Amino acid sequence: MESRARKPDWLRIRPPGGERFAEIERVLDDHDITTVCEEASCPNRSECWSGRDGPGTATFMLMGHRCSRGCNFCDVATGGMEPLDPDEPEEVAAAVAEIGLDYVVLTSVDRDDLDDQGAAHFARTVREIKRRDPSILVETLIPDFQGEEALVGEIVDAGPDVIAHNVETVERLQRPVRDPRAGYEQSLSVLRQVERDADVYTKTSLMLGVGERDHEVYETLVDLRDAGVDVVTFGQYLQPSASHLDVETYVHPHKFETWKAVAEEELDFLYCASGPMVRSSYKAGELFASALIRDGASVAEARARAERARTDDTGRDRDV
């Protein structure tokens, strides 16, 4: 572990760039589309945004720039909610087609202010992408919808290929990390419902470095596996600003590798993407799902493809 006062060398970030990167930014601007990749200044944008030059993925954030909740780790603005843009599902689908993506992640802000919390809008976007090109794989990273089964069911019925919902951290730290309207058991209930009602792969993500203890991470993994979760990702929490939750520790890459081994080899998750710069929407994890769904690969081969992408695209693993 390292002191929170200084970022360690393994958190070096290469700024995104290149002609293809600029072209995709233009398409997104033309369609007035919001992506988590941009909003969160994701360090992996250049790796994911390839599109027509090869397998490409991007994470689109639906339902506006402002969230009805105020999680202490998140840099999305809170409050001042605006009406949904009725054209957004079509605009997102058009941007996906123009960029040439073959794997799309849809996520959203929380919209507790809406009667259905935006579930129908979210589901409509899934259907519009699939209507235009059924071969595109769609992953939905959904809110908890306050645990309302009917609203989660709208997403299931829309037919995405992967459904993700993030527990974010261990049970003890839910309250300082997440908004009071979120919760560990509520998130587990969403994941259990998806496992019960949908013939899809399920996924979740945890941040490390917020004060969690090793035995709590292990207990969380056990709970997630019991809930039927297939894929889990671990990444380092990085403080967006001085007003956000402090980083307690910078977790060494070797510990991330340990958690990957525990998840896959001991607890039988299908796949675990784990590393300081891994995010819940991460190209290696999406290539794993694509290999299983599109190519019918075995779990072992899908894992191998994902890990090759993780090292070949970034070289980061060889730097530490």
Side-chain angles (χ1 to χ4, degrees), residues 239-266:
Q239 188 182 35
S241 76
S243 64
H244 286 81
L245 189 73
D246 286 335
V247 176
E248 290 295 323
T249 50
Y250 290 114
V251 180
H252 195 280
H254 293 161
K255 175 155 274 191
F256 281 101
E257 288 301 315
T258 296
W259 284 124
K260 176 178 176 63
V262 169
E264 292 183 351
E265 298 170 19
E266 181 177 346

Short mmCIF file of all heavy atoms in Angstrom, two decimals, residues 239-266:
data_model
loop_
_atom_site.label_atom_id
_atom_site.label_comp_id
_atom_site.label_asym_id
_atom_site.label_seq_id
_atom_site.Cartn_x
_atom_site.Cartn_y
_atom_site.Cartn_z
N GLN A 239 -9.95 10.10 -6.44
CA GLN A 239 -10.77 11.22 -5.97
C GLN A 239 -10.97 12.24 -7.08
O GLN A 239 -10.01 12.81 -7.60
CB GLN A 239 -10.08 11.87 -4.77
CG GLN A 239 -10.91 12.93 -4.08
CD GLN A 239 -10.14 13.56 -2.93
OE1 GLN A 239 -8.92 13.74 -2.99
NE2 GLN A 239 -10.85 13.91 -1.87
N PRO A 240 -12.23 12.51 -7.49
CA PRO A 240 -12.47 13.47 -8.57
C PRO A 240 -12.10 14.90 -8.20
O PRO A 240 -11.68 15.68 -9.05
CB PRO A 240 -13.98 13.36 -8.83
CG PRO A 240 -14.40 12.07 -8.22
CD PRO A 240 -13.48 11.85 -7.06
N SER A 241 -12.30 15.27 -6.91
CA SER A 241 -11.98 16.62 -6.46
C SER A 241 -11.78 16.59 -4.96
O SER A 241 -12.10 15.59 -4.29
CB SER A 241 -13.10 17.60 -6.83
OG SER A 241 -14.20 17.43 -5.94
N ALA A 242 -11.31 17.70 -4.40
CA ALA A 242 -11.05 17.77 -2.97
C ALA A 242 -12.31 17.65 -2.14
O ALA A 242 -12.26 17.33 -0.95
CB ALA A 242 -10.33 19.07 -2.63
N SER A 243 -13.47 17.90 -2.74
CA SER A 243 -14.73 17.81 -2.00
C SER A 243 -15.32 16.41 -1.99
O SER A 243 -16.35 16.17 -1.36
CB SER A 243 -15.75 18.79 -2.59
OG SER A 243 -16.07 18.44 -3.92
N HIS A 244 -14.68 15.48 -2.68
CA HIS A 244 -15.17 14.11 -2.73
C HIS A 244 -14.46 13.24 -1.69
O HIS A 244 -13.53 13.67 -1.02
CB HIS A 244 -14.97 13.53 -4.13
CG HIS A 244 -15.92 14.07 -5.14
ND1 HIS A 244 -15.73 15.27 -5.76
CD2 HIS A 244 -17.07 13.57 -5.65
CE1 HIS A 244 -16.72 15.50 -6.60
NE2 HIS A 244 -17.55 14.47 -6.55
N LEU A 245 -14.94 12.03 -1.59
CA LEU A 245 -14.39 11.05 -0.67
C LEU A 245 -12.89 10.92 -0.84
O LEU A 245 -12.38 10.86 -1.97
CB LEU A 245 -15.06 9.70 -0.96
CG LEU A 245 -14.82 8.55 0.00
CD1 LEU A 245 -15.58 8.78 1.30
CD2 LEU A 245 -15.28 7.24 -0.65
N ASP A 246 -12.15 10.89 0.28
CA ASP A 246 -10.70 10.73 0.23
C ASP A 246 -10.32 9.33 -0.26
O ASP A 246 -11.02 8.35 -0.01
CB ASP A 246 -10.08 10.93 1.61
CG ASP A 246 -10.05 12.38 2.04
OD1 ASP A 246 -10.05 13.26 1.16
OD2 ASP A 246 -10.04 12.62 3.26
N VAL A 247 -9.18 9.24 -0.92
CA VAL A 247 -8.56 7.95 -1.19
C VAL A 247 -7.86 7.51 0.09
O VAL A 247 -7.01 8.22 0.62
CB VAL A 247 -7.54 8.04 -2.34
CG1 VAL A 247 -6.82 6.70 -2.54
CG2 VAL A 247 -8.22 8.48 -3.63
N GLU A 248 -8.23 6.36 0.60
CA GLU A 248 -7.58 5.84 1.81
C GLU A 248 -6.25 5.18 1.49
O GLU A 248 -5.26 5.36 2.21
CB GLU A 248 -8.49 4.84 2.52
CG GLU A 248 -9.70 5.47 3.18
CD GLU A 248 -9.33 6.41 4.31
OE1 GLU A 248 -8.35 6.11 5.04
OE2 GLU A 248 -9.98 7.45 4.47
N THR A 249 -6.21 4.42 0.39
CA THR A 249 -4.99 3.72 0.00
C THR A 249 -4.93 3.59 -1.51
O THR A 249 -5.97 3.50 -2.18
CB THR A 249 -4.93 2.29 0.59
OG1 THR A 249 -6.15 1.61 0.32
CG2 THR A 249 -4.66 2.31 2.08
N TYR A 250 -3.72 3.59 -2.05
CA TYR A 250 -3.49 3.21 -3.43
C TYR A 250 -3.07 1.75 -3.42
O TYR A 250 -2.01 1.40 -2.91
CB TYR A 250 -2.42 4.10 -4.07
CG TYR A 250 -2.89 5.52 -4.29
CD1 TYR A 250 -2.33 6.58 -3.60
CD2 TYR A 250 -3.92 5.79 -5.19
CE1 TYR A 250 -2.77 7.88 -3.80
CE2 TYR A 250 -4.37 7.09 -5.39
CZ TYR A 250 -3.79 8.12 -4.69
OH TYR A 250 -4.24 9.40 -4.89
N VAL A 251 -3.92 0.92 -3.96
CA VAL A 251 -3.74 -0.53 -3.87
C VAL A 251 -2.75 -0.99 -4.94
O VAL A 251 -2.88 -0.64 -6.12
CB VAL A 251 -5.10 -1.23 -4.03
CG1 VAL A 251 -4.94 -2.74 -3.95
CG2 VAL A 251 -6.08 -0.73 -2.97
N HIS A 252 -1.78 -1.79 -4.53
CA HIS A 252 -0.73 -2.25 -5.45
C HIS A 252 -1.32 -3.19 -6.50
O HIS A 252 -2.23 -3.99 -6.20
CB HIS A 252 0.38 -2.95 -4.68
CG HIS A 252 1.62 -3.14 -5.48
ND1 HIS A 252 1.78 -4.17 -6.40
CD2 HIS A 252 2.77 -2.42 -5.52
CE1 HIS A 252 2.96 -4.07 -6.95
NE2 HIS A 252 3.59 -3.03 -6.45
N PRO A 253 -0.81 -3.14 -7.73
CA PRO A 253 -1.31 -4.06 -8.77
C PRO A 253 -1.25 -5.53 -8.37
O PRO A 253 -2.08 -6.33 -8.81
CB PRO A 253 -0.37 -3.77 -9.95
CG PRO A 253 0.03 -2.34 -9.77
CD PRO A 253 0.14 -2.15 -8.29
N HIS A 254 -0.27 -5.91 -7.54
CA HIS A 254 -0.19 -7.31 -7.13
C HIS A 254 -1.42 -7.73 -6.34
O HIS A 254 -1.88 -8.87 -6.46
CB HIS A 254 1.07 -7.54 -6.30
CG HIS A 254 2.33 -7.37 -7.09
ND1 HIS A 254 3.57 -7.16 -6.50
CD2 HIS A 254 2.56 -7.38 -8.43
CE1 HIS A 254 4.48 -7.05 -7.44
NE2 HIS A 254 3.90 -7.17 -8.62
N LYS A 255 -1.97 -6.82 -5.55
CA LYS A 255 -3.18 -7.16 -4.79
C LYS A 255 -4.37 -7.30 -5.73
O LYS A 255 -5.23 -8.18 -5.55
CB LYS A 255 -3.47 -6.12 -3.72
CG LYS A 255 -4.78 -6.35 -2.99
CD LYS A 255 -4.82 -5.76 -1.61
CE LYS A 255 -4.26 -6.72 -0.59
NZ LYS A 255 -4.52 -6.28 0.81
N PHE A 256 -4.44 -6.47 -6.76
CA PHE A 256 -5.50 -6.64 -7.76
C PHE A 256 -5.40 -8.01 -8.41
O PHE A 256 -6.42 -8.67 -8.66
CB PHE A 256 -5.41 -5.54 -8.82
CG PHE A 256 -5.99 -4.22 -8.38
CD1 PHE A 256 -5.18 -3.19 -7.94
CD2 PHE A 256 -7.36 -4.02 -8.40
CE1 PHE A 256 -5.71 -1.97 -7.55
CE2 PHE A 256 -7.91 -2.80 -7.99
CZ PHE A 256 -7.09 -1.78 -7.57
N GLU A 257 -4.19 -8.46 -8.70
CA GLU A 257 -4.02 -9.79 -9.30
C GLU A 257 -4.46 -10.88 -8.33
O GLU A 257 -5.03 -11.90 -8.74
CB GLU A 257 -2.56 -9.99 -9.71
CG GLU A 257 -2.15 -9.19 -10.93
CD GLU A 257 -2.98 -9.52 -12.16
OE1 GLU A 257 -3.20 -10.73 -12.42
OE2 GLU A 257 -3.44 -8.59 -12.84
N THR A 258 -4.22 -10.68 -7.04
CA THR A 258 -4.66 -11.64 -6.05
C THR A 258 -6.18 -11.76 -6.04
O THR A 258 -6.74 -12.86 -6.01
CB THR A 258 -4.16 -11.25 -4.65
OG1 THR A 258 -2.73 -11.30 -4.64
CG2 THR A 258 -4.70 -12.20 -3.58
N TRP A 259 -6.87 -10.62 -6.07
CA TRP A 259 -8.33 -10.66 -6.07
C TRP A 259 -8.86 -11.31 -7.35
O TRP A 259 -9.89 -12.00 -7.31
CB TRP A 259 -8.90 -9.27 -5.89
CG TRP A 259 -8.81 -8.76 -4.49
CD1 TRP A 259 -8.22 -7.61 -4.05
CD2 TRP A 259 -9.32 -9.41 -3.31
NE1 TRP A 259 -8.33 -7.50 -2.69
CE2 TRP A 259 -9.00 -8.60 -2.20
CE3 TRP A 259 -10.00 -10.61 -3.08
CZ2 TRP A 259 -9.35 -8.94 -0.91
CZ3 TRP A 259 -10.35 -10.96 -1.79
CH2 TRP A 259 -10.02 -10.13 -0.72
N LYS A 260 -8.19 -11.11 -8.45
CA LYS A 260 -8.59 -11.78 -9.69
C LYS A 260 -8.51 -13.30 -9.53
O LYS A 260 -9.44 -14.04 -9.91
CB LYS A 260 -7.71 -11.32 -10.84
CG LYS A 260 -7.99 -12.03 -12.17
CD LYS A 260 -7.09 -11.49 -13.28
CE LYS A 260 -7.29 -12.27 -14.56
NZ LYS A 260 -8.68 -12.14 -15.08
N ALA A 261 -7.41 -13.76 -8.95
CA ALA A 261 -7.24 -15.20 -8.75
C ALA A 261 -8.29 -15.76 -7.80
O ALA A 261 -8.85 -16.84 -8.03
CB ALA A 261 -5.83 -15.49 -8.22
N VAL A 262 -8.58 -15.03 -6.73
CA VAL A 262 -9.60 -15.47 -5.78
C VAL A 262 -10.95 -15.57 -6.47
O VAL A 262 -11.69 -16.56 -6.31
CB VAL A 262 -9.67 -14.50 -4.58
CG1 VAL A 262 -10.91 -14.79 -3.72
CG2 VAL A 262 -8.41 -14.61 -3.73
N ALA A 263 -11.31 -14.55 -7.24
CA ALA A 263 -12.61 -14.53 -7.90
C ALA A 263 -12.76 -15.67 -8.90
O ALA A 263 -13.79 -16.37 -8.91
CB ALA A 263 -12.82 -13.18 -8.59
N GLU A 264 -11.75 -15.87 -9.73
CA GLU A 264 -11.87 -16.86 -10.80
C GLU A 264 -11.57 -18.28 -10.33
O GLU A 264 -12.29 -19.22 -10.69
CB GLU A 264 -10.93 -16.49 -11.95
CG GLU A 264 -11.33 -15.23 -12.68
CD GLU A 264 -10.44 -14.91 -13.87
OE1 GLU A 264 -9.38 -15.59 -14.03
OE2 GLU A 264 -10.76 -13.98 -14.62
N GLU A 265 -10.52 -18.44 -9.56
CA GLU A 265 -10.05 -19.78 -9.24
C GLU A 265 -10.70 -20.37 -7.99
O GLU A 265 -10.91 -21.59 -7.91
CB GLU A 265 -8.52 -19.77 -9.07
CG GLU A 265 -7.79 -19.35 -10.34
CD GLU A 265 -6.31 -19.09 -10.13
OE1 GLU A 265 -5.77 -19.57 -9.11
OE2 GLU A 265 -5.71 -18.38 -10.96
N GLU A 266 -11.02 -19.53 -7.03
CA GLU A 266 -11.62 -20.05 -5.80
C GLU A 266 -13.14 -19.96 -5.82
O GLU A 266 -13.83 -20.90 -5.41
CB GLU A 266 -11.08 -19.30 -4.59
CG GLU A 266 -11.64 -19.79 -3.27
CD GLU A 266 -11.05 -19.09 -2.06
OE1 GLU A 266 -10.01 -18.40 -2.20
OE2 GLU A 266 -11.64 -19.22 -0.97
#
